[in-house]
Amino acid sequence: MTKSIIDIIGFEEATQLMASAIHDAVECRGKLGLPKAVNVDGVVYRQYPDGSLEQVEVINGSLARPFESPVTRP
């Protein structure tokens, strides 16, 4: 039977690696100017790096307009 990476490196180290990766991703998102989703009293907003909020319209549990990336890809 094949061991999982968590079995190999241990739960504590795996948790630390995941927390570090999340921190790096959040920091990168901010540098790119991408918004993050926040929930304020049950209402979903996009929060931009400058702190501004844009309410997200939710229809049948899905975003009416998905998050767009200002980064263009070739």
Side-chain angles (χ1 to χ4, degrees), residues 4-35:
S4 74
I5 188 71
I6 295 173
D7 291 333
I8 294 169
I9 66 172
F11 180 78
E12 288 180 20
E13 186 171 350
T15 301
Q16 179 63 32
L17 288 170
M18 288 184 280
S20 177
I22 291 168
H23 178 269
D24 292 348
V26 169
E27 186 176 304
C28 182
R29 176 212 45 83
K31 287 179 181 177
L32 290 172
L34 299 174

Side-chain angles (χ1 to χ4, degrees), residues 37-55:
V38 296
N39 183 325
V40 179
D41 297 326
V43 179
V44 179
Y45 294 90
R46 289 180 178 93
Q47 182 179 32
Y48 293 89
D50 67 0
S52 64
L53 294 173
E54 174 188 7
Q55 187 172 344

